[in-house]
Amino acid sequence: MGGDTLLDRAPAAINVGADLFADSLASQGAGVRRVDWQPADAPRELARVWTARVETANRRAAAALLGAHAVLVDVRPAIDVIPGMTPDTILHAGPPVEWTRMSGPLRGAVIGALLLEARATSAAEAERLAASGAVGFAPCHHHASVGPMAGVTTASMPVFVVENRAGGNRAYSTLNEGLGKVLRYGAFAPEVLDRLRWFRERLGPALGEAIRRAGGIDVRAIIAQALQMGDECHNRNRAASALLIKALAPHVAALDLAASERERVLTFAAGNEHFFLNVGMAACKLAADAAHGVPGSTLVTTMARNGTDFGIRVSGLGDRWFTAPADTPVGLYFTGHGPDDANPDIGDSAITETAGLGGFAMAAAPAIVQFVGGTPADALATTRLMYEITMAESESYRVPALDFRGTPTGIDVRLVAQTGVLPQINTGIAHRQPGVGQIGAGLVKPPRACFEAALSALVRDAGHG
């Protein structure tokens, strides 16, 4: 018999589900491809929410999510623009959490914010104030806002104002501080607070004036272009940041400021590769908010973590959170740090994955694997897998490596339950102790329990519909 036959090649296997068989083959040197799959949860429950009414609701929610047109219109103090913000309000990332259960980096950021607002003169005094009940903690998501990592936002902080030209709603996010010791990772050293004071007194007003002079910046167009240039707009924002600075630079240069101050503004922006991140997060937040509140819809509109709990919200389930303990990301660490130093997952930045970017767009950013681990092939496979749990594809955000297919968008609780596939999130890793900062970056998935609880609630609501 001539030619290549099956027996001429080394055996390989595809393992679906439990790893026992794959582990045995791998120990014998055989090639094994593992497929993360398990039987659908609660098939009878699933059947009760696979109805024409839910399909109609999901089409409406998905259309609002995909149709959002985000435009950056201003930078203003949080107290002036964030709905419900008061001098005593401290917004934080993730689902609701009380002071006694807050993680180290979140506590550190709260301490730093109270020092910044001159509500305390020492860390010890700030901790006593935070524990006293004299300040009110609330999730950013309850106030049309999002914040990376700790997400702490207080009254005097300048925030980006992003407007949905299709739906009319707005969303807000703080200015990105860059890497290293920063408030969002729980650091509150003097240089951290000095930088935030400069944000409040100089950078925020300058950016706001430049944005207004520009007549607004089309954020959707920047994200679309950045995906063509190798970003996924969560952990990699190199191209998006450059595009934003390019749009703002002529207007910053024309401001009535000392030349040294204009130079400082542009130098800071140009030296911060995550300068765009918070703008992109606000754009994703307003798209998700536009899709929220559609009765019967199984679309996920929030995924967020506070360093203790992971929580999701669903369009058709109002403002209820479905939470479970947050997992710790798996990834690459900066020199001198390792997994024992890491805090569990934290931040509102998973709003990017909720809107079809970040981990869902990894195929557009093969270089991201140098930061979070894995290979370019893994990045492609991850995006392809996310199509299995989403109800639509973006018409604005397209992936060159997938023949310009739209990014997978709109997580469906039913599809997560049916396939057993969990959303993939790219994220930074914070040190578990307050005041240290970022120690690495990696990958993490939401707890399955969040989706199981949401599915049960959808079934209960369907029974009363």
Side-chain angles (χ1 to χ4, degrees):
M1 177 182 287
D4 186 33
T5 70
L6 180 63
L7 297 179
D8 292 327
R9 285 170 274 169
I14 298 174
N15 184 79
V16 180
D19 286 329
L20 184 63
F21 180 61
D23 291 343
S24 178
L25 288 175
S27 69
Q28 299 173 58
V32 182
R33 181 72 175 179
R34 300 170 191 258
V35 177
D36 184 12
W37 178 87
Q38 67 178 48
D41 293 330
R44 290 185 179 177
E45 285 193 333
L46 267 175
R48 296 179 63 184
V49 289
W50 219 281
T51 65
R53 172 178 175 268
V54 173
E55 292 298 325
T56 300
N58 280 343
R59 281 195 293 273
R60 179 182 159 197
L65 179 68
L66 295 171
H69 185 179
V71 176
L72 175 62
V73 296
D74 210 342
V75 173
R76 303 280 293 174
I79 189 73
D80 291 348
V81 290
I82 292 181
M85 174 61 81
T86 75
D88 294 324
T89 300
I90 298 180
L91 303 183
H92 62 78
V97 62
E98 62 273 24
W99 171 255
T100 55
R101 295 186 66 243
M102 285 185 185
S103 62
L106 181 49
R107 282 184 172 225
V110 169
I111 291 169
L114 290 172
L115 294 171
L116 177 71
E117 299 290 347
R119 299 293 301 272
T121 57
S122 68
E125 186 182 352
E127 288 193 73
R128 287 194 295 273
L129 179 61
S132 70
V135 294
F137 295 109
C140 293
H141 274 287
H142 291 185
H143 294 262
S145 304
V146 280
M149 305 312 289
V152 165
T153 306
T154 50
S156 73
M157 293 182 181
V159 294
F160 287 115
V161 181
V162 182
E163 184 174 275
N164 181 5
R165 290 288 164 84
N169 59 311
R170 288 185 167 190
Y172 312 89
S173 185
T174 51
L175 311 187
N176 192 281
E177 306 160 77
L179 297 177
K181 282 193 173 183
V182 291
L183 187 80
R184 71 179 187 277
Y185 280 96
F188 53 85
E191 63 267 29
V192 175
L193 300 182
D194 285 345
R195 185 192 305 119
L196 291 173
R197 292 187 186 101
W198 178 67
F199 277 21
R200 181 172 60 193
E201 295 161 9
R202 297 292 186 181
L203 180 64
L207 291 176
E209 178 64 23
I211 292 165
R212 292 189 294 273
R213 289 188 181 201
I217 307 292
D218 190 331
V219 181
R220 186 172 70 179
I222 287 180
I223 294 173
Q225 191 172 352
L227 260 61
Q228 311 298 309
M229 299 167 68
D231 282 356
E232 40 75 86
C233 293
H234 183 169
N235 252 332
R236 185 179 170 88
N237 289 281
R238 187 170 295 181
S241 295
L243 292 167
L244 178 58
I245 294 164
K246 179 183 174 185
L248 288 174
H251 304 285
V252 172
L255 293 177
D256 184 20
L257 290 174
S260 60
E261 198 62 34
R262 282 179 274 141
E263 179 183 8
R264 187 180 181 188
V265 168
L266 290 172
T267 299
F268 172 80
N272 180 3
E273 293 185 356
H274 287 295
F275 183 62
F276 178 81
L277 171 62
N278 299 35
V279 178
M281 286 175 58
C284 293
K285 169 63 175 172
L286 65 78
D289 277 359
H292 192 70
V294 179
S297 173
T298 57
L299 177 75
V300 174
T301 52
T302 305
M303 294 195 295
R305 323 76 104 196
N306 55 37
T308 302
D309 300 321
F310 194 115
I312 70 170
R313 298 194 299 177
V314 178
S315 177
L317 294 174
D319 290 333
R320 281 177 279 179
W321 287 90
F322 302 91
T323 64
D327 289 331
T328 300
V330 176
L332 304 178
Y333 288 87
F334 301 158
T335 302
H337 297 287
D340 291 342
D341 300 321
N343 195 78
D345 196 18
I346 183 170
D348 285 335
S349 55
I351 192 68
T352 56
E353 281 80 8
T354 310
L357 299 173
F360 286 48
M362 280 184 71
I368 191 68
V369 300
Q370 295 176 310
F371 195 50
V372 301
T375 67
D378 293 333
L380 279 167
T382 296
T383 295
R384 288 192 174 110
L385 187 61
M386 294 301 98
Y387 288 109
E388 302 297 320
I389 58 171
T390 46
M391 59 180 69
E393 298 180 13
S394 177
E395 297 172 357
S396 302
Y397 308 145
R398 298 182 179 277
V399 182
L402 297 178
D403 293 330
F404 294 96
R405 187 175 181 183
T407 60
T409 305
I411 303 164
D412 189 336
V413 172
R414 301 174 305 173
L415 292 173
V416 172
Q418 183 182 54
T419 63
V421 174
L422 291 168
Q424 182 66 68
I425 298 168
N426 297 336
T427 191
I429 303 175
H431 198 288
R432 62 172 59 249
Q433 297 298 328
V436 178
Q438 183 176 9
I439 59 172
L443 303 171
V444 71
K445 293 179 180 177
R448 191 177 303 278
C450 298
F451 294 88
E452 292 172 344
L455 177 63
S456 295
L458 286 162
V459 170
R460 286 195 300 273
D461 284 11
H464 295 98

